[in-house]
Amino acid sequence: MSNWIENELTITKGDPAVLWDAIRGENSPFDFNRLIPMPEGLKNVPCGSQATLAYEYVTGTDIMADYSRYPWVQQAGITTPEELFAYKYKQTGVGDSTWEVGEMVKLGKLLAENERTYGRKDWYDWASVNWGTPRNAWFDPSYDKKTDNSLSVTTAWAPPMPVIKKLFAMLPEHESKFSWWDTANSCGEEMVFRGGEVAECEPAKRICMHPSCNEEENEWVRDHEWYCTKHAVEWKESHFEVPTLPC
């Protein structure tokens, strides 16, 4: 499960409509492909642990140097990559043909060719480097907001800094405030873009959402609701029934 990052962009100088037109996608108000397009050859390419094994197998990495330390590998008597693939094949009960050696070689060669062509073997790696986050912006109208001069979107694991910097390098006449917040780690930054560059940057702070409190928040209770420890406890007590345990 990803750490979710809340990103907010507010235009303070320049025509917001010009900027929104520059980033709008077919189904989203912010499509990173508009600024830094992902190569078509990387879209829908498998990624994950199986793909990594296929890539390492083809490129000559000693897979068993890492896998041989696992108890389940030792118990199954697995000593070669081919035996590992065969074990994975049988694990599904019906046999997953993608684990056959021939299929693993085919996938590994595809990933190796992608790395030579695009510098990264799959869409996940490419996006993590070129967008700063492995997935495109997520806009949910139930809590992400768009007004005439501001937009908030959610990203996975990290803010899309390469995309944001590219945007303002393209439109240096615009000035904007950009902030991001890591909802899992309670940290973030607030920036001012001016003249196509970051002119100001400082750590972001969030204040407890309780109306009579000015303490910094340090505990998440549910989507977009943050409180200091004291008021987080009060919120949970008022929203959840605490079971009474027998002595």
Side-chain angles (χ1 to χ4, degrees):
M1 181 178 177
S2 304
N3 283 4
W4 296 113
I5 309 299
E6 297 174 350
N7 307 271
E8 185 169 357
L9 185 61
T10 303
I11 311 305
T12 56
K13 180 181 178 182
D15 185 355
V18 173
L19 190 144
W20 303 146
D21 287 344
I23 65 176
R24 185 181 298 111
E26 184 176 347
N27 300 306
S28 171
F30 198 167
D31 181 356
F32 299 160
N33 285 292
R34 291 293 309 279
L35 300 175
I36 306 177
M38 179 182 290
E40 288 294 327
L42 290 178
K43 295 178 180 179
N44 302 316
V45 171
C47 66
S49 59
Q50 182 179 0
T52 299
L53 278 173
Y55 171 79
E56 292 177 344
Y57 184 65
V58 166
T59 56
T61 301
D62 185 0
I63 295 172
M64 299 312 300
D66 185 39
Y67 270 80
S68 61
R69 62 188 176 88
Y70 294 115
W72 62 268
V73 172
Q74 298 168 8
Q75 292 168 8
I78 299 170
T79 59
T80 69
E82 293 79 10
E83 291 173 348
L84 176 63
F85 301 159
Y87 178 86
K88 291 286 190 179
Y89 174 87
K90 295 176 182 178
Q91 256 192 332
T92 62
V94 295
D96 182 352
S97 61
T98 63
W99 283 101
E100 293 178 352
V101 174
E103 293 298 314
M104 291 291 281
V105 169
K106 185 187 301 184
L107 175 57
K109 287 182 176 179
L110 170 63
L111 297 175
E113 180 61 28
N114 283 345
E115 187 166 57
R116 287 190 291 271
T117 304
Y118 307 113
R120 298 290 164 179
K121 68 182 187 300
D122 56 44
W123 60 267
Y124 190 99
D125 287 353
W126 184 93
S128 295
V129 172
N130 291 277
W131 291 346
T133 173
R135 299 183 184 277
N136 212 330
W138 177 39
F139 180 81
D140 184 340
S142 66
Y143 58 84
D144 290 311
K145 306 299 180 185
K146 185 178 186 306
T147 67
D148 288 344
N149 71 326
S150 67
L151 171 68
S152 63
V153 295
T154 304
T155 54
W157 293 115
M161 290 312 304
V163 179
I164 297 296
K165 290 180 178 180
K166 177 71 176 292
L167 173 62
F168 287 104
M170 289 171 50
L171 302 171
E173 69 280 6
H174 284 72
E175 292 184 9
S176 174
K177 294 179 180 179
F178 174 72
S179 65
W180 63 268
W181 187 258
D182 185 328
T183 59
N185 296 304
S186 294
C187 63
E189 292 179 313
E190 296 177 344
M191 307 175 190
V192 173
F193 279 84
R194 189 179 301 119
E197 299 179 345
V198 178
E200 301 174 28
C201 181
E202 60 183 22
K205 294 182 180 180
R206 286 197 174 183
I207 303 301
C208 175
M209 296 181 69
H210 191 280
S212 64
C213 182
N214 291 316
E215 296 292 324
E216 282 192 49
E217 63 83 5
N218 57 13
E219 190 164 346
W220 171 85
V221 294
R222 67 179 179 183
D223 288 347
H224 296 265
E225 293 198 31
W226 302 83
Y227 295 89
C228 65
T229 300
K230 173 187 174 182
H231 290 116
V233 170
E234 291 181 1
W235 187 96
K236 292 174 182 177
E237 288 177 345
S238 65
H239 286 74
F240 300 110
E241 181 179 350
V242 180
T244 301
L245 300 178
C247 296

